[in-house]
C-alpha cells in the first residue's frame, strides 16, 4: 500500500497569538520502517487475529471477508487495505456555533487536554482532592480562555455524581462553558449515544452535527488484541451517524505488549486498525482518527512514566506509521509524572511538547496532566498554554526567502548600523520573535524590584483571575 499523501491582557492567557505553520520536521520512523510495521500488522491481523466480543461487529467482519477460528476473527490483508482507502484524509471540526474551528490537516499544531483524571490540584486551596462536577465547569471556562487549547475535555472524572451519569454530566458541563470542540469518552454505547444526542440538540439535529461536528469520542481496544462489546458498538454507531472517533489503545510495554517501542507500536497499530476496519465496514468514509498511547513503565516501581522520553517517542513513532497509512492521528504530550508544577513538571512538559510540535500529527492532547495522568491541574494547563506557544514557534522552523535573507537590508543598513530603525525591522519586530506572556524577561534589578516573583504563585494568580473573569 502506498502512503497517502476575552479576557484581560495582564494575564496573557488568551490574548490572540499568531500561529506559526510548522516546517521543522522530526521523523521518528521513516517510510521504510512504517511499511515494515504495516506488513507485520497485516500478518498479525491475518494469522493471530482479534478477539471481537460484539456479535454485530463479528457479523460485519465475516460478511466483509474475515473468518473466525478458535473464537478469534482473522482479517485478510486485502480487507484491511480496502478499509484504509475509504478513511477520510482529514476531519474538519467546528465550534458549537457552527463555525470552522480546525482541521486535522492544518499546518499549525493543535492542542487539547485530557479526560478522566481521578483527582484535581485545586488552585484555590493548593490541595489535592477528588474531582467534582463543578471542577469540570471550571475546566471548561479555563479552556475557553486559553489561546492554545483548540479542543476541550473534562480534565477530570467527577466523583460526586453517579458513575453511570458522570460522562454525560461532564459533557454537558463542558458544552455549557466552552464553545470549542469537545472530546469525551463513556462507559458504554448508551451513554455515548446520549452525549451525541445532547450535541445534536445543541446543533439543531444529528444531521447538522454530522455536517459540522464539534465532538470526538475516544474509543479504546483492549490489549492484547481485543475489541470489547461497547467499543465495537460505539464504532458502529458513530460510523453510521458519520461522527468522528479516535480508535487507539492505552498499552503498557512489557505487560500487555512487547517491551520494545517498535513492538508496542506494531501491536497498538494492529488493535487500532482492527477497530477502524469495523467502522469502515459499517459506513465507508466514516471519519476516524487513531494513534497509540504507549505508556512506558518505570520498572523499578512498576509506575507509568508519561514524562519519559519513550512516551513521546512512541506516540510520534505511531503518528509516523498512521500518516504513512493516510489516517489522521493524535499524540499525548504536555504531561508529567511530577505531582506539582515545579522544575520536573515544566521540563518534562516542555520537552515532549517541543517534540510533538516538530512532528506532523494532527492533534496533541494531555496538556495539564500531573501525577502520570492521575491529577488534572488548571494551573498546569495555563503553564502548558505558554509552553505550547513556545514549542509551536520552534516547530515553525526558519523561513528562508528573499525577504527573510534580507540581503538588501544588510546592504542598506550596515554602513551606519541602522538596523534597529530600518523598515524591515519595524515591520517585523512584533512577530519575528516569540514574546512570552507568562515567562519573564527583564534585568535582574527589575526582577528583584518586583519582589523576585515566584512562577508557582504567578500561575495560581493567573488561573484564579481567569476563573473570575470568564
Amino acid at each position: 500500500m502506498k502512503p497517502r499523501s476575552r479576557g484581560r491582557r495582564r494575564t496573557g492567557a488568551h490574548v490572540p497569538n499568531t500561529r506559526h505553520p510548522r516546517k521543522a520536521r522530526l521523523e521518528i520512523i521513516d517510510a521504510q520502517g512504517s511499511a515494515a510495521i504495516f506488513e507485520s500488522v497485516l500478518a498479525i491481523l491475518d494469522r493471530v487475529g482479534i478477539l471481537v466480543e460484539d456479535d454485530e461487529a463479528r457479523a460485519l467482519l465475516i460478511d466483509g471477508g474475515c473468518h473466525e477460528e478458535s473464537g478469534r476473527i482473522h482479517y485478510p490483508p486485502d480487507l484491511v487495505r480496502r478499509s484504509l482507502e475509504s478513511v477520510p484524509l482529514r476531519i474538519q471540526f467546528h465550534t458549537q456555533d457552527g463555525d470552522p474551528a480546525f482541521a486535522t490537516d492544518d499546518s499549525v499544531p493543535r492542542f487539547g487536554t485530557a479526560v478522566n483524571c481521578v483527582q484535581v490540584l485545586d488552585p484555590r486551596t493548593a490541595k489535592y482532592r477528588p474531582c467534582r462536577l463543578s471542577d469540570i465547569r471550571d475546566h471548561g471556562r479555563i479552556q475557553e480562555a486559553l489561546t492554545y487549547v483548540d479542543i476541550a475535555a473534562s480534565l477530570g472524572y467527577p466523583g460526586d455524581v453517579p458513575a453511570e451519569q458522570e460522562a454525560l454530566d461532564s459533557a454537558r458541563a463542558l458544552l455549557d462553558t466552552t464553545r470549542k470542540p469537545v472530546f469525551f469518552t463513556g462507559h458504554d454505547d448508551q451513554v455515548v449515544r446520549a452525549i451525541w444526542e445532547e450535541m445534536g440538540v445543541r446543533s439543531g439535529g444529528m444531521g447538522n452535527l454530522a455536517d459540522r461536528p464539534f465532538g470526538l469520542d475516544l474509543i479504546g481496544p483492549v490489549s492484547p488484541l481485543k475489541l470489547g462489546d461497547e467499543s465495537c458498538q460505539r464504532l458502529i454507531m458513530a460510523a453510521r451517524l458519520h461522527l468522528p472517533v479516535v480508535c487507539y489503545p492505552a498499552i503498557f510495554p512489557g505487560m500487555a505488549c512487547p517491551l520494545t517501542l517498535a513492538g508496542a507500536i506494531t501491536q497498538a497499530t494492529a488493535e487500532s486498525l482492527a477497530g477502524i476496519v469495523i467502522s469502515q465496514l459499517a459506513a465507508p468514509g466514516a471519519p476516524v482518527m487513531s494513534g497509540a498511547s504507549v505508556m512506558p513503565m518505570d520498572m523499578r516501581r512498576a509506575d507509568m512514566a508519561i514524562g519519559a522520553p519513550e512516551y513521546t517517542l512512541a506516540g510520534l513513532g505511531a503518528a509516523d506509521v498512521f500518516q504513512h497509512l493516510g489516517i489522521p492521528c493524535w499524540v499525548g504530550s504536555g504531561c508529567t509524572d511530577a505531582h506539582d508544577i515545579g522544575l520536573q513538571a515544566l521540563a518534562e512538559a516542555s520537552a515532549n511538547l517541543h517534540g510533538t510540535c516538530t512532528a506532523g500529527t494532527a492533534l496533541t492532547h494531555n496538556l495539564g496532566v500531573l501525577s502520570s495522568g492521575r491529577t488534572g491541574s488548571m494551573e498546569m494547563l495555563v503553564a502548558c498554554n505558554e509552553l505550547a506557544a513556545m514549542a509551536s514557534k520552534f516547530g515553525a522552523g526558519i523561513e528562508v526567502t528573499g525577504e527573510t535573507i534580507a540581503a538588501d537590508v544588510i546592504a542598506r543598513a550596515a554602513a551606519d548600523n541602522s538596523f534597529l530603525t530600518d523598515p524591515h525591522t519595524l515591520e517585523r519586530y512584533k512577530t519575528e520573535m516569540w514574546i512570552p506572556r507568562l515567562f519573564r524577561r527583564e534585568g535582574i534589578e527589575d526582577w528583584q524590584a518586583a519582589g523576585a516573583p515566584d512562577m508557582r504563585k504567578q500561575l495560581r494568580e493567573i488561573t484564579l483571575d481567569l476563573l473570575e473573569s470568564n
Side-chain angles (χ1 to χ4, degrees):
M1 178 179 180
K2 294 181 180 179
R4 295 191 287 170
S5 329
R6 330 179 274 222
R8 286 173 279 183
R9 186 174 180 83
R10 73 180 180 86
T11 69
H14 55 283
V15 176
N17 286 280
T18 301
R19 294 283 183 115
H20 303 278
R22 58 184 154 205
K23 295 181 180 177
R25 181 67 172 94
L26 173 65
E27 184 178 65
I28 302 300
I29 297 177
D30 63 15
Q32 183 177 359
S34 293
I37 286 175
F38 181 54
E39 289 303 315
S40 295
V41 166
L42 292 176
I44 290 166
L45 291 173
D46 186 24
R47 299 169 193 167
V48 182
I50 300 288
L51 179 61
V52 180
E53 295 184 333
D54 180 68
D55 291 339
E56 185 176 8
R58 283 201 305 274
L60 279 172
L61 290 165
I62 291 170
D63 287 346
C66 296
H67 72 276
E68 186 170 3
E69 183 179 330
S70 302
R72 304 183 75 83
I73 301 295
H74 296 259
Y75 291 60
D78 285 349
L79 172 62
V80 179
R81 290 190 175 96
R82 288 197 308 272
S83 297
L84 291 178
E85 290 297 328
S86 67
V87 174
L89 293 173
R90 75 190 296 268
I91 302 173
Q92 174 70 58
F93 289 95
H94 294 74
T95 69
Q96 281 193 67
D97 304 310
D99 298 322
F102 66 90
T104 56
D105 61 350
D106 282 353
S107 63
V108 299
R110 299 295 184 177
F111 303 95
T113 179
V115 297
N116 289 354
C117 297
V118 295
Q119 67 181 6
V120 298
L121 176 55
D122 190 329
R124 298 179 178 90
T125 64
K127 302 291 186 183
Y128 300 90
R129 58 168 176 76
C131 180
R132 299 191 288 255
L133 188 61
S134 59
D135 295 316
I136 310 301
R137 298 188 186 96
D138 283 346
H139 297 166
R141 290 158 58 207
I142 285 285
Q143 290 173 75
E144 176 69 14
L146 295 178
T147 306
Y148 278 80
V149 173
D150 299 286
I151 184 166
S154 61
L155 193 58
Y157 183 99
D160 59 340
V161 295
E164 65 274 12
Q165 192 67 24
E166 65 83 17
L168 179 57
D169 285 353
S170 293
R172 284 173 171 160
L174 281 174
L175 294 169
D176 287 343
T177 50
T178 179
R179 310 304 293 171
K180 294 178 178 180
V182 167
F183 67 88
F184 61 90
T185 191
H187 302 299
D188 56 45
D189 58 298
Q190 311 241 334
V191 170
V192 171
R193 180 177 290 277
I195 294 172
W196 284 128
E197 289 174 347
E198 176 75 22
M199 292 182 174
V201 169
R202 293 173 185 247
S203 60
M206 296 301 290
N208 289 339
L209 181 63
D211 290 339
R212 294 180 293 277
F214 55 86
L216 178 67
D217 181 19
L218 278 60
I219 299 172
V222 179
S223 301
L225 301 176
K226 183 169 80 171
L227 283 164
D229 179 83
E230 56 89 14
S231 294
C232 293
Q233 281 298 306
R234 286 160 63 185
L235 282 165
I236 293 168
M237 172 180 61
R240 291 173 176 165
L241 293 171
H242 204 72
L243 295 169
V245 299
V246 175
C247 180
Y248 77 125
I251 194 167
F252 297 90
M255 296 184 67
C257 70
L259 182 62
T260 57
L261 295 186
I265 291 169
T266 300
Q267 182 179 310
T269 304
E271 292 164 348
S272 297
L273 292 187
I276 289 172
V277 169
I278 291 172
S279 78
Q280 299 307 300
L281 288 173
V288 62
M289 298 176 59
S290 196
S293 183
V294 177
M295 315 290 274
M297 304 291 291
D298 187 322
M299 293 299 185
R300 294 172 301 179
R301 303 183 62 173
D303 285 335
M304 282 192 299
I306 63 173
E310 292 83 2
Y311 177 69
T312 307
L313 276 172
L316 295 180
D320 285 332
V321 173
F322 283 108
Q323 286 162 21
H324 177 80
L325 299 176
I327 301 174
C329 59
W330 75 353
V331 65
S333 188
C335 46
T336 178
D337 301 310
H339 302 294
D340 199 5
I341 307 164
L343 292 175
Q344 178 184 344
L346 295 178
E348 290 178 345
S350 180
N352 52 47
L353 279 168
H354 275 73
T356 55
C357 282
T358 56
T361 184
L363 272 172
T364 295
H365 68 106
N366 272 359
L367 277 68
V369 169
L370 303 170
S371 308
S372 305
R374 301 177 187 89
T375 303
S377 168
M378 289 183 282
E379 295 160 280
M380 184 62 182
L381 187 56
V382 170
C384 284
N385 189 69
E386 182 90 333
L387 296 175
M390 177 194 291
S392 294
K393 176 63 175 178
F394 183 84
I398 297 175
E399 182 182 16
V400 179
T401 66
E403 283 291 313
T404 63
I405 290 173
D408 57 333
V409 179
I410 297 169
R412 180 172 63 236
D416 59 356
N417 196 14
S418 59
F419 291 98
L420 189 61
T421 57
D422 190 89
H424 186 269
T425 303
L426 297 176
E427 289 170 6
R428 291 167 174 77
Y429 77 95
K430 289 184 178 180
T431 58
E432 187 67 20
M433 299 291 292
W434 175 70
I435 305 299
R437 303 185 185 279
L438 172 63
F439 300 151
R440 306 182 71 92
R441 292 175 178 170
E442 71 231 286
I444 190 169
E445 296 83 2
D446 293 334
W447 177 71
Q448 290 173 330
D454 175 68
M455 172 69 71
R456 189 67 184 80
K457 180 180 178 182
Q458 187 181 3
L459 276 173
R460 181 168 294 126
E461 290 173 348
I462 291 173
T463 303
L464 294 176
D465 184 62
L466 287 172
L467 288 172
E468 292 168 3
S469 61
N470 289 275

